[in-house]
């Protein structure tokens, strides 16, 4: 008998989240069924104030009743008002289109945070600086307290101006780098922790280690003390007793603080740890803190206390080194086999007072020493001073590094492969994409793209995790956002980042180049050496529109559009007001950053992006039902496109600048007439061929290059660029050992060696935006803007190049979408497709495709309808399930797919 189940219940994209501050959290679930074409017909949700009431089917907070709907994502809570600090339990059951009723889902829950500022009774506490020291010792803080009654529930709400590591009775409860990076003059994130099972009757203790972090430490090249001179911590614990009573434990003058073994810890400058200063049991009950100081109390904080949106930073994996060699100087250099971000842990025995150093780098010099020149003023070193008792282990707490190689200096004894391990650290985004092909180099490219994302998505989408930068560049983020969304679940990550972007938006309406701003605008406006005085930058500011639209496409999220709509309008209004006859000025600082021998005119690029943001805003207005805005922005886009053509485009398709990027942006942003599209495509392909089938695009052009070629019927050239091994290309770096995406096409070349060390990162995700094409076109997994979030998918694989097999999977909100195509020696194409329950897909089968088999072997066509069959493709509509198609995919079919008629279709 076929079963219908509800699984994977989430609230606000998360499993049982704590401390929300939304009045109407959104609920999500998936369906699981054994047969094909399963569609939800209705649902019923119960939300209860207790687990017991939910078990009795009592939705005392909300009983939705039976709602006729196929929606299983973004269902907004619509019950009684939610209260601070409360936990709410929910479950759901569904009916499918065959009127089958599921069992209730497993219970899920969420908790609310403190919803008003008046509920906070805690004070900000810190430790006074030691004036004689430049880098301050990291403050340790503790609070002892006694609990006399049986505990029903206990919750901590915590945040910091800086970073904190929180423990309860000696057990760590917080994640790494909490509470994340925000513009602290605007807001700080609060995280909630359920500590019920950690407390006990009698004596208890809270322990906190307080790091400088982004607040008081070094922020890239912007220097130290960008937001404040020293960190502060805020905590409020609510203890609820079984007898109905409660009490609060808060940060105040009764806490104790002192220096500890971390002598300093800085994001950019590394850490020094003196194990001789450790105090055993300092964060447990019974510790004698009589020699510790009273904390310094901060008078207040004017920013917002917002519930933490981003997924916490975690140690995602541990890596063992693949080799170690001893140098002539007696140091040990380890190769981790992978350029990574995080830190290394060392195991050591030796005499008390022995100081060892762990130095980190991405590359080696020709003589085998660490290549440190590209770090600029960053110091990727951690120092550990032994206490001299048995086997000791050390890893840093409030710093991170970008590295493949580790040099172990002044190590007592002979180190081996077990002496150090690498800890890979990034924001906790679940992996939801995979891609494998028949070509090992293409597989390596995809691996490098994913590792670039791992290395740079740490609280914000940073760049260059090794040097003194690590800033949240908005242009880099927007061009990679679609690729990032295929690789990992970035729903919460980018929702928080959009808050950073809007927090940093200028009064003029301009979105900034960097978010959080961290003083970047002031820095660049005052820095005469940079000479970067542009009040906005095309492609960077446009992130404020492109990223919300990307989240809408990938997750069907309309709230992200609603919340940021006014900010997006201000941006487009700013662009219009600062244009001349709808042509943008040429003052941009970055342009098509780090292109190769191709100078894209700033005014062309800026006007193209002005048009694109306006076009997207018209689409967003339509999604939100704002018909007047949709018409107004749609008309404005057409006017911009006409101005673009009049100013920059010749009748023969020539576009000012004549770079690959100008053609790519004009094609992808819809700025050309159909006749001009054909001519511009011809010019683009001529440019590529004249360069020996090589690209020249920089950050802003590269992500659109292969999509523009493919949609213009030039698939063969797209594949040629993908697998090109000569410089400049993606494969060139792979041929020379790259394990991440490089910042520059020419970061290292055979002819010139290393590029200028002033800007030469070997871990930077921007040029990896080709990953979007690999999923959307090569594998063919595409979102449908008319039914976003993959409720309806477009499956349209484009076989080509030297590949004969591609398999890709994407974990959508509805479940796994899988596509695998194979080209056999007899020119037969086999295509396997999987669509999750409660979703559907339109499948484009290259050639004269027929359905051959699937999970319903008795009726292969069950759940499948043929829509169109032509000489070079067949189009099917699929319900959920697994399907297999076969097709004759010979030279004729292949050439037809590559004709310009493909773009018209």
């Amino acid at each position: 008998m076929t079963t219908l189940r509800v699984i994977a219940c989430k609230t606000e994209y998360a499993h049982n989240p704590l401390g929300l501050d939304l009045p109407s959290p959104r609920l999500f679930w998936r369906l699981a069924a054994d047969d094909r074409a399963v569609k939800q017909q209705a649902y019923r949700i119960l939300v209860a104030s207790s687990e017991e009431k939910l078990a009795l089917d009592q939705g005392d907070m909300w009983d939705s009743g039976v709602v006729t709907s196929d929606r299983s994502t973004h269902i907004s809570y619509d019950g009684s008002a939610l209260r601070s600090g409360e936990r709410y339990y929910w479950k759901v059951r569904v009916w499918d289109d065959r009127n089958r009723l599921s069992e209730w889902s497993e219970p899920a829950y969420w908790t609310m945070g403190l919803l008003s500022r008046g509920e906070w009774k805690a004070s900000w506490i810190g430790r006074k600086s030691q004036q004689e020291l430049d880098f301050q010792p990291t403050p340790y803080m503790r609070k002892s307290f006694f609990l006399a009654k049986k505990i029903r529930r206990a919750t901590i709400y915590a945040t910091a101006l800086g970073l904190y590591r929180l423990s309860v009775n000696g057990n760590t409860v917080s994640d790494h780098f909490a509470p994340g990076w925000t513009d602290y003059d605007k807001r700080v994130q609060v995280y909630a922790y359920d500590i019920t099972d950690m407390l006990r009757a009698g004596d208890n203790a809270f322990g906190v280690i307080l790091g400088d972090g982004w607040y008081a430490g070094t922020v890239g090249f912007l220097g130290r003390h960008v937001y404040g001179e020293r960190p502060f911590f805020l905590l409020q614990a609510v203890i609820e007793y079984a007898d109905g009573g409660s009490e609060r434990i808060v940060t105040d003058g009764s806490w104790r603080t002192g220096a500890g073994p971390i002598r300093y810890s800085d994001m950019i400058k590394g850490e020094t740890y003196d194990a001789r200063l450790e105090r055993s049991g300092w964060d447990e009950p019974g510790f004698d803190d009589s020699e510790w100081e009273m904390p310094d109390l901060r008078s207040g904080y004017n920013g917002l206390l917002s519930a933490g949106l981003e997924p916490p930073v975690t140690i995602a994996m541990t890596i063992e080194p693949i080799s170690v060699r001893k140098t002539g100087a007696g140091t040990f250099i380890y190769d981790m086999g992978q350029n990574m971000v995080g830190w290394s842990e060392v195991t050591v025995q030796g005499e008390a007072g022995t100081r060892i150093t762990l130095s980190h780098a991405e590359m080696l010099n020709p003589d085998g020493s660490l290549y440190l020149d590209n770090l600029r003023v960053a110091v990727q070193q951690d120092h550990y001073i032994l206490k001299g008792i048995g086997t000791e282990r050390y890893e840093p707490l409030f710093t991170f590094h970008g590295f493949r190689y580790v040099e172990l200096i002044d190590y007592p004894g002979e180190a081996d492969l077990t002496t150090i391990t690498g800890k890979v650290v990034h924001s906790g985004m679940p992996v939801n994409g995979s891609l494998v092909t028949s070509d090992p180099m293409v597989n390596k490219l995809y691996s490098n793209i994913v590792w670039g994302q791992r290395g740079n998505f740490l609280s914000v989408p940073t760049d260059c995790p090794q040097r003194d930068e690590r800033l949240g560049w908005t242009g880099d983020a927007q061009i990679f956002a679609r690729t990032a969304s295929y690789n990992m679940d970035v729903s919460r990550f980018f929702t928080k980042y959009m808050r950073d972007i809007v927090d940093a938006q200028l009064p003029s309406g301009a979105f900034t180049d960097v978010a959080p701003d961290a003083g970047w605008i002031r820095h660049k406006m005052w820095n005469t050496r940079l000479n970067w005085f542009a009040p906005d930058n095309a492609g960077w500011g446009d992130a404020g529109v492109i990223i919300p639209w990307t989240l809408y496409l990938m997750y069907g999220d309309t709230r992200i559009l609603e919340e940021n709509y006014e900010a997006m309008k201000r941006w487009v209004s700013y662009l219009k007001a600062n244009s001349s006859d709808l042509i943008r000025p040429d003052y941009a600082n970055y342009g098509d950053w780090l292109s190769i021998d191709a100078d894209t005119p700033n005014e062309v690029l800026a006007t193209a992006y002005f048009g694109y943001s306006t076009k997207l805003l018209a689409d967003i207005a339509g999604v939100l039902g704002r018909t007047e805005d949709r018409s107004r922005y749609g008309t404005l886009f057409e006017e911009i496109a006409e101005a673009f053509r009049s100013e920059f485009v010749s009748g023969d398709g020539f576009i000012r600048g004549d770079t690959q990027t100008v053609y790519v942006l004009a094609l992808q942003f819809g700025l050309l007439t159909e006749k001009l599209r054909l001519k511009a495509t011809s010019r683009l392909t001529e440019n590529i061929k004249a360069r020996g089938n090589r690209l020249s695009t920089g950050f802003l052009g590269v992500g659109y290059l292969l999509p523009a070629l493919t949609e213009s019927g030039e698939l063969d050239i797209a594949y040629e660029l993908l697998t090109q091994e000569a410089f400049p290309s993606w494969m060139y770096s792979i041929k020379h050992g790259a394990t991440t995406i490089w910042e520059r096409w020419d970061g290292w070349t055979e002819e010139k060696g290393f590029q200028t060390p002033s800007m030469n990162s070997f871990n930077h995700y921007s040029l990896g935006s080709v990953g979007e094409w690999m999923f959307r076109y090569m594998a063919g997994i595409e979102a449908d803007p008319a039914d976003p979030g993959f409720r309806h998918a477009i499956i349209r694989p484009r076989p080509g190049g030297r590949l004969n097999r591609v398999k890709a999977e994407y974990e959508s909100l509805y479940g796994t979408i899988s596509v695998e195509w194979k080209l056999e020696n007899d020119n037969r194409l086999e295509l396997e497709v999987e669509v999750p329950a409660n979703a559907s897909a339109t499948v484009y089968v290259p050639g004269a495709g027929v359905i051959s088999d699937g999970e319903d072997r008795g009726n292969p066509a069950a759940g499948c309808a043929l829509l169109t069959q032509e000489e070079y493709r067949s189009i099917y509509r699929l319900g959920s399930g697994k399907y297999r198609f076969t097709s004759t995919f010979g030279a004729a079919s292949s050439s037809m797919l590559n004709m310009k008629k493909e773009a018209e279709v």
Side-chain angles (χ1 to χ4, degrees):
M1 180 178 178
T2 298
T3 58
L4 176 68
R5 294 179 295 124
V6 178
I7 60 173
C9 290
K10 292 183 178 181
T11 306
E12 288 299 325
Y13 295 105
H15 177 68
N16 298 339
L18 304 180
L20 301 182
D21 59 5
L22 299 166
S24 298
R26 294 167 297 176
L27 310 180
F28 303 71
W29 61 87
R30 293 182 184 176
L31 272 59
D34 299 330
D35 49 359
R36 282 182 177 175
V38 172
K39 199 75 173 177
Q40 178 182 294
Q41 179 174 275
Y43 65 80
R44 183 186 177 195
I45 298 170
L46 296 180
V47 181
S49 58
S50 71
E51 208 167 3
E52 294 75 20
K53 289 180 179 178
L54 190 70
L56 295 172
D57 296 343
Q58 296 176 8
D60 63 318
M61 294 302 296
W62 184 37
D63 183 342
S64 71
V66 178
V67 178
T68 301
S69 171
D70 63 356
R71 291 181 58 208
S72 58
T73 68
H74 305 93
I75 308 299
S76 294
Y77 171 81
D78 192 25
S80 301
L82 302 172
R83 298 183 296 273
S84 287
E86 293 297 322
R87 177 173 298 203
Y88 298 101
Y89 300 86
W90 69 280
K91 62 183 180 181
V92 61
R93 69 190 316 180
V94 303
W95 290 258
D96 70 6
D97 53 357
R98 295 156 210 181
N99 210 33
R100 296 178 299 191
L101 176 62
S102 75
E103 297 293 329
W104 286 105
S105 67
E106 292 295 318
Y109 64 84
W110 78 86
T111 71
M112 302 301 292
L114 302 181
L115 301 181
S116 70
R117 196 60 169 263
E119 295 176 90
W120 281 94
K121 306 303 178 184
S123 299
W124 292 90
I125 61 173
R127 183 171 184 264
K128 292 182 178 179
S129 299
Q130 297 179 222
Q131 298 299 321
E132 72 278 9
L133 298 177
D134 184 15
F135 284 90
Q136 296 293 309
T138 297
Y140 283 60
M141 300 175 170
R142 60 174 275 109
K143 168 69 176 178
S144 296
F145 55 97
F146 184 85
L147 300 177
K149 297 188 288 186
K150 184 178 179 181
I151 300 167
R152 183 178 75 89
R153 186 168 65 203
T155 305
I156 283 178
Y157 304 96
T159 188
L161 299 172
L163 304 175
Y164 66 85
R165 173 64 65 86
L166 173 64
S167 60
V168 176
N169 291 331
N171 300 302
T172 300
V173 299
S174 60
D175 293 289
H176 294 276
F177 303 125
W181 185 9
T182 54
D183 269 327
Y184 299 99
D185 55 344
K186 299 290 181 64
R187 75 177 71 238
V188 67
Q189 296 186 113
V190 177
Y191 282 91
Y193 307 95
D194 185 338
I195 59 166
T196 306
D197 295 336
M198 296 184 178
L199 296 179
R200 55 203 182 210
D203 291 321
N204 293 268
F206 293 153
V208 174
I209 309 175
L210 188 57
D212 287 348
W214 295 280
Y215 180 78
T218 308
V219 179
F221 48 69
L222 301 176
R224 293 170 60 199
H225 305 156
V226 167
Y227 298 100
E229 292 188 355
R230 53 198 171 97
F232 289 88
F233 179 67
L234 185 74
L235 175 146
Q236 184 156 308
V238 180
I239 315 296
E240 302 173 53
Y241 295 111
D243 64 4
S246 67
E247 71 172 296
R248 286 190 297 258
I249 299 169
V250 301
T251 44
D252 57 20
S254 67
W255 283 57
R256 307 294 288 178
T257 181
I262 302 178
R263 305 317 295 158
Y264 71 85
S265 190
D266 186 88
M267 291 287 201
I268 300 295
K269 300 294 186 179
E271 179 174 299
T272 291
Y273 187 100
D274 189 343
R276 297 171 299 178
L277 302 178
E278 289 178 347
R279 298 294 180 262
S280 178
W282 72 271
D283 58 351
E284 298 176 6
F287 178 79
D288 181 6
D289 58 15
S290 59
E291 295 184 359
W292 285 31
E293 312 152 19
M294 293 179 59
D296 186 33
L297 299 183
R298 179 186 170 108
S299 57
Y301 171 67
N302 290 327
L304 298 174
L305 298 176
S306 300
L309 283 180
E310 66 184 271
V313 176
T314 61
I315 297 176
M317 65 181 76
T318 299
I319 291 181
E320 306 295 332
I322 61 172
S323 68
V324 60
R325 62 179 174 84
K326 191 172 185 179
T327 69
T331 67
F332 299 88
I333 294 181
Y334 289 84
D335 182 357
M336 305 306 296
Q338 173 65 54
N339 198 6
M340 55 176 279
V341 172
W343 52 77
S344 49
E345 180 187 58
V346 63
T347 303
V348 61
Q349 286 184 317
E351 296 182 1
T354 301
R355 175 185 166 115
I356 63 174
T357 297
L358 296 153
S359 187
H360 304 80
E362 294 182 298
M363 302 284 274
L364 297 177
N365 288 307
D367 65 1
S369 61
L370 296 192
Y371 174 68
L372 303 175
D373 293 349
N374 68 332
L375 301 183
R376 300 195 301 216
V377 304
V379 180
Q380 292 205 123
Q381 290 188 343
D382 302 318
H383 309 283
Y384 180 71
I385 302 172
L386 278 67
K387 59 188 172 185
I389 303 174
T391 300
E392 304 177 43
R393 291 183 180 274
Y394 164 71
E395 59 183 302
L397 185 57
F398 293 131
T399 192
F400 66 92
H401 312 298
F403 65 99
R404 172 173 175 170
Y405 300 96
V406 183
E407 185 170 17
L408 184 56
I409 303 169
D410 295 330
Y411 185 80
E414 290 298 313
D416 59 26
L417 287 175
T418 66
T419 302
I420 72 165
T421 55
K423 303 293 182 72
V424 178
V425 176
H426 58 78
S427 291
M429 305 164 293
V431 173
N432 60 5
S434 65
L435 191 147
V436 179
T437 78
S438 56
D439 190 315
M441 291 190 74
V442 174
N443 296 341
K444 185 62 176 175
L445 171 60
Y446 180 66
S447 172
N448 290 3
I449 292 168
V450 173
W451 274 99
Q453 184 170 347
R454 285 193 183 113
N456 289 282
F457 277 41
L458 196 154
S459 187
V460 302
T462 66
D463 73 324
C464 311
Q466 70 300 106
R467 70 177 182 234
D468 60 330
E469 192 159 343
R470 314 183 196 187
L471 301 176
W473 290 98
T474 51
D476 308 29
Q478 66 87 3
I479 201 67
F480 189 74
R482 194 77 179 272
T483 297
S485 301
Y486 278 108
N487 295 337
M488 301 178 188
D489 180 357
V490 294
S491 54
R492 296 165 64 202
F493 181 86
F494 271 128
T495 297
K496 181 266 182 183
Y497 185 59
M498 271 310 302
R499 178 184 282 178
D500 294 330
I501 289 176
V502 174
D503 279 349
Q505 188 174 22
L506 300 176
S508 65
F511 286 123
T512 56
D513 312 337
V514 166
D517 174 68
W520 165 250
I521 290 295
R522 177 181 173 84
H523 172 81
K524 80 166 191 172
M525 290 301 180
W526 284 61
N527 192 316
T528 55
R529 180 185 61 82
L530 283 175
N531 197 32
W532 282 354
F533 301 121
D536 64 86
N537 275 284
W540 273 257
D542 299 284
V545 179
I546 295 171
I547 291 175
W549 179 250
T550 300
L551 294 183
Y552 170 72
L553 288 178
M554 298 300 287
Y555 303 109
D557 193 333
T558 58
R559 186 176 289 180
I560 193 75
L561 304 181
E562 293 167 350
E563 290 179 343
N564 297 288
Y565 186 70
E566 293 302 319
M568 292 187 273
K569 287 178 63 177
R570 290 195 299 272
W571 167 245
V572 170
S573 295
Y574 165 84
L575 294 178
K576 183 180 178 182
N578 290 273
S579 299
S580 177
D581 296 325
L582 302 181
I583 298 299
R584 296 280 292 134
D586 65 353
Y587 54 51
N589 300 135
Y590 318 128
D592 189 27
W593 190 246
L594 297 183
S595 58
I596 292 290
D597 298 325
D599 188 12
T600 295
N602 286 336
E603 68 276 15
V604 179
L605 185 145
T607 304
Y609 263 99
F610 175 26
Y612 188 47
S613 279
T614 304
K615 181 181 181 182
L616 291 185
L617 188 54
D619 292 339
I620 290 167
V623 170
L624 299 179
R626 307 191 185 208
T627 54
E628 290 186 7
D629 280 359
R630 180 181 185 179
S631 176
R632 178 158 61 95
Y633 291 119
T635 299
L636 177 58
F637 168 71
E638 294 300 335
E639 292 171 349
I640 296 168
E642 185 177 350
F644 181 92
R645 294 191 297 270
S646 176
E647 182 72 16
F648 304 129
V649 186
S650 302
D652 60 359
F654 177 90
I655 301 177
R656 183 184 296 176
D658 197 31
T659 65
Q660 293 175 19
T661 292
V662 298
Y663 295 111
V664 164
L665 297 186
L667 289 167
Q668 283 300 96
F669 294 171
L671 298 170
L672 305 177
T673 63
E674 187 57 38
K675 182 181 291 187
L676 286 174
R677 282 184 60 86
L678 296 176
K679 293 179 178 179
T681 299
S682 178
R683 291 223 171 239
L684 172 61
T685 57
E686 289 171 5
N687 184 301
I688 294 169
K689 291 175 182 177
R691 292 172 176 269
N693 286 328
R694 302 179 200 181
L695 51 74
S696 65
T697 48
F699 280 22
L700 296 185
V702 66
Y704 299 116
L705 177 59
L706 301 197
L709 288 166
T710 303
E711 292 182 7
S712 299
E714 301 292 350
L715 181 66
D716 288 346
I717 296 179
Y719 269 107
E720 183 71 30
L721 291 176
L722 177 74
T723 55
Q724 173 65 259
E725 296 183 14
F727 171 81
S729 67
W730 289 286
M731 298 304 171
Y732 184 81
S733 63
I734 292 172
K735 282 178 58 180
H736 293 93
T739 62
T740 45
I741 299 296
W742 293 355
E743 179 180 23
R744 319 177 68 122
W745 297 113
D746 57 350
W748 182 92
T749 61
E750 293 170 295
E751 293 78 15
K752 298 180 180 179
F754 290 116
Q755 243 284 4
T756 172
S758 65
M759 191 178 67
N760 197 22
S761 167
F762 292 95
N763 191 349
H764 195 301
Y765 57 77
S766 292
L767 298 180
S769 54
V770 67
E772 172 186 343
W773 180 87
M774 297 167 76
F775 273 98
R776 292 177 61 200
Y777 297 91
M778 186 176 75
I781 301 177
E782 172 68 298
D784 183 354
D787 204 353
F790 293 93
R791 186 163 72 165
H792 181 75
I794 306 297
I795 307 297
R796 193 175 187 178
R798 270 87 161 189
R802 66 194 192 196
L803 277 63
N804 56 44
R805 174 179 175 265
V806 169
K807 181 176 182 179
E809 291 185 350
Y810 172 69
E811 193 78 9
S812 75
L813 291 176
Y814 298 89
T816 301
I817 299 170
S818 177
V819 174
E820 180 176 11
W821 59 258
K822 300 177 184 177
L823 279 174
E824 304 295 345
N825 292 333
D826 58 359
N827 290 328
R828 187 176 78 257
L829 173 72
E830 292 189 358
L831 174 64
E832 295 185 9
V833 175
E834 181 178 2
V835 180
N838 205 34
S840 60
T842 298
V843 178
Y844 294 73
V845 183
V850 296
I851 187 164
S852 59
D853 201 353
E855 60 188 11
D856 190 340
R857 296 181 181 275
N859 182 11
C864 175
L866 176 63
L867 301 180
T868 303
Q869 191 157 46
E870 300 171 347
E871 181 181 355
Y872 60 95
R873 70 173 187 184
S874 304
I875 305 175
Y876 291 85
R877 174 87 179 200
L878 307 182
S880 62
K882 297 179 180 179
Y883 303 85
R884 180 179 295 120
F885 303 87
T886 58
S887 173
T888 300
F889 189 78
S893 298
S894 177
S895 63
M896 287 290 287
L897 280 171
N898 295 330
M899 289 176 62
K900 292 179 176 62
K901 181 179 177 182
E902 173 75 354
E904 298 173 6
V905 173

